[in-house]
Amino acid sequence: MSDSGRTRSSTIAVVGDYGAERPTHKATQQALEHAVQPPLRFEWLSTEAAAEMGDAELADYVGLLISPGSPYRNMDGALKAIRVAREYGVPLLGTCGGFQHVAVEFARDVLGVAQADHEESNPGAPELVIVKLPLSLAGGEREVFFEPGSRVAAIYRASAAIEPFFCSFGLNPAYRSRVEGHGLAISGTGADGAARVFELLEHPFFVATLYVPQARYTADDPHPLVTAFVAAAAGRVEPPRRPAR
């Protein structure tokens, strides 16, 4: 393994185009600075850099956090990181834009909807899996209800939580049954029943939230979802070398 590969094998990559002025990026940085302890480390990986990396290189990371802050500079880079996490069993946490792009990747690569897209990035696309919400969730805190027996309910040890939202786009209801039918469970919903949390069945750790748990993380009150993701990454001793099909 190369020196860079050895470094990745103890590193969580935060896939996104970092901007210090973005509140969700600042919250992500601060949360991980506290949650990630040596010998584990984390680094920001731009979507452009992710697009240029091979699958095996991305799979060398012990965890992939798909950051808030879309539209990304390179959507294909974000989608590649999500696909690698899904296929290779790399622990993944996607938040806000990460949730949205998990849905797009799943539709393209699992459902076979080649033109699946995101209304914010490509409003004229014929297959909009992510669409503008009837009522924006940006800037508010709302209750999320967890499915009994789900991974996320076990992580929270609760049936519901109040979480901060920063987005105006979500899952197109027309795709809900197909997504769920192929194994991407909707394990958290809003008061209206709309999708707020995805988790991938039979994966070591694959959770995506439309809200941003990092924004509710403090040193005195660590967020259970962030700490669970970091623990999953820390426990990944050696990355698999081939996709887990």
Side-chain angles (χ1 to χ4, degrees), residues 6-228:
R6 279 191 291 269
T7 301
R8 287 194 298 272
S9 70
S10 60
T11 302
I12 292 170
V14 185
V15 181
D17 306 307
Y18 180 70
E21 75 287 352
R22 292 185 169 185
T24 57
H25 286 191
K26 183 178 180 181
T28 300
Q29 179 74 19
Q30 291 176 339
L32 293 182
E33 283 176 352
H34 182 266
V36 175
Q37 299 296 319
L40 201 63
R41 58 187 294 273
F42 75 94
E43 66 184 21
W44 285 81
L45 179 69
S46 74
T47 55
E48 295 160 329
E52 295 298 319
M53 295 177 73
D55 286 9
E57 291 178 291
L58 285 167
D60 272 339
Y61 286 109
V62 294
L64 294 168
L65 193 159
I66 314 301
S67 81
S70 65
Y72 302 120
R73 289 200 299 263
N74 190 308
M75 184 176 181
D76 288 342
L79 296 179
K80 176 187 276 190
I82 293 164
R83 177 183 58 76
V84 166
R86 180 176 56 77
E87 291 183 345
Y88 286 75
V90 180
L92 176 140
L93 176 62
T95 65
C96 196
F99 170 100
Q100 296 159 8
H101 287 77
V102 160
V104 173
E105 189 279 327
F106 197 82
R108 288 187 183 183
D109 297 329
V110 178
L111 303 184
V113 183
Q115 297 185 78
D117 221 315
H118 191 308
E119 187 173 8
E120 184 178 28
S121 305
N122 190 5
E127 300 278 1
L128 290 173
V129 175
I130 295 297
V131 295
K132 193 164 186 177
L133 296 169
L135 179 65
S136 173
L137 300 175
E141 291 190 343
R142 289 171 171 80
E143 195 164 14
V144 180
F145 301 90
F146 307 126
E147 287 295 314
S150 64
R151 180 193 296 270
V152 71
I155 289 170
Y156 278 84
R157 298 183 181 181
S159 59
I162 304 294
E163 294 289 357
F165 287 81
F166 295 81
C167 63
S168 302
F169 294 83
L171 179 67
N172 184 339
Y175 290 89
R176 178 169 181 154
S177 62
R178 293 177 66 187
V179 162
E180 289 187 291
H182 284 77
L184 187 62
I186 295 172
S187 57
T189 58
D192 59 356
R196 299 290 184 261
V197 183
F198 292 132
E199 61 183 62
L200 188 61
L201 306 178
E202 300 180 359
H203 188 284
F205 191 101
F206 191 104
V207 177
T209 66
L210 193 57
Y211 54 89
V212 182
Q214 307 93 291
R216 196 166 66 76
Y217 187 110
T218 67
D220 293 331
D221 187 19
H223 194 288
L225 193 52
V226 175
T227 56

